[in-house]
Amino acid sequence: MYYIILVIATFSTQAIAQESPIFPIGEKAPNVHHTGDVWIYHVSDADDTFDYNIVHVVMGPGAKLNWHVHPAGQIILATGGVGYYQEKGRPKRILEKGDVVKCPPDVPHWHGASSNQEFIQIAITGRQNGPTEW
């Protein structure tokens, strides 16, 4: 007598989608305004109609941007890993997947990855009042 065992595997499309990156890692950025390894993929560049940049940023463990300001503000969407965000004169915040930061215009701040994990973010930066000031 033979038995046939049928195994049916089901996969959650949500779990699969979360494991796959939405955007490519992008180009490795030269270490001009940061320390460590940072890759940037330009999702959408500012133009005459939409005056803001959207970038996907992957920061290697320990990578950190220098202090800077955005004359028109910035929104950071944490999409993976563990990172930090700090405004001048305020405590450092831990950022994890799903966190959102609204950095007001002209507020000095920095953001980066934790020392032992990468940090992935989407940054939406207004260009109406000029470029980022380092």
Side-chain angles (χ1 to χ4, degrees):
M1 187 178 271
Y2 295 98
Y3 293 95
I4 297 174
I5 300 172
L6 179 61
V7 177
I8 299 175
T10 60
F11 296 96
S12 165
T13 56
Q14 182 179 13
I16 292 170
Q18 290 176 352
E19 293 174 9
S20 301
I22 297 172
F23 302 109
I25 192 166
E27 299 292 324
K28 189 169 182 185
N31 289 65
V32 176
H33 300 296
H34 67 275
T35 57
D37 295 328
V38 175
W39 293 266
I40 299 174
Y41 174 74
H42 290 263
V43 176
S44 179
D45 290 325
D47 59 32
D48 291 340
T49 304
F50 298 98
D51 204 5
Y52 47 83
N53 290 324
I54 302 173
V55 295
H56 178 257
V57 181
V58 176
M59 297 180 176
K64 175 182 171 282
L65 299 181
N66 297 340
W67 287 96
H68 59 284
V69 300
H70 303 286
Q74 182 179 59
I75 297 173
I76 298 169
L77 309 171
T79 61
V82 177
Y84 300 110
Y85 170 84
Q86 184 177 21
E87 294 176 0
K88 194 157 229 130
R90 302 195 66 184
K92 178 171 61 173
R93 288 178 48 189
I94 296 173
L95 299 179
E96 297 178 303
K97 184 177 183 176
D99 288 340
V100 176
V101 174
K102 292 182 178 179
C103 180
D106 296 317
V107 172
H109 67 282
W110 66 270
H111 32 115
S114 67
S115 61
N116 59 353
Q117 283 191 46
E118 70 180 9
F119 178 59
I120 305 168
Q121 66 180 24
I122 294 175
I124 304 166
T125 307
R127 304 293 289 181
Q128 301 85 345
N129 300 331
T132 301
E133 299 170 9
W134 297 92

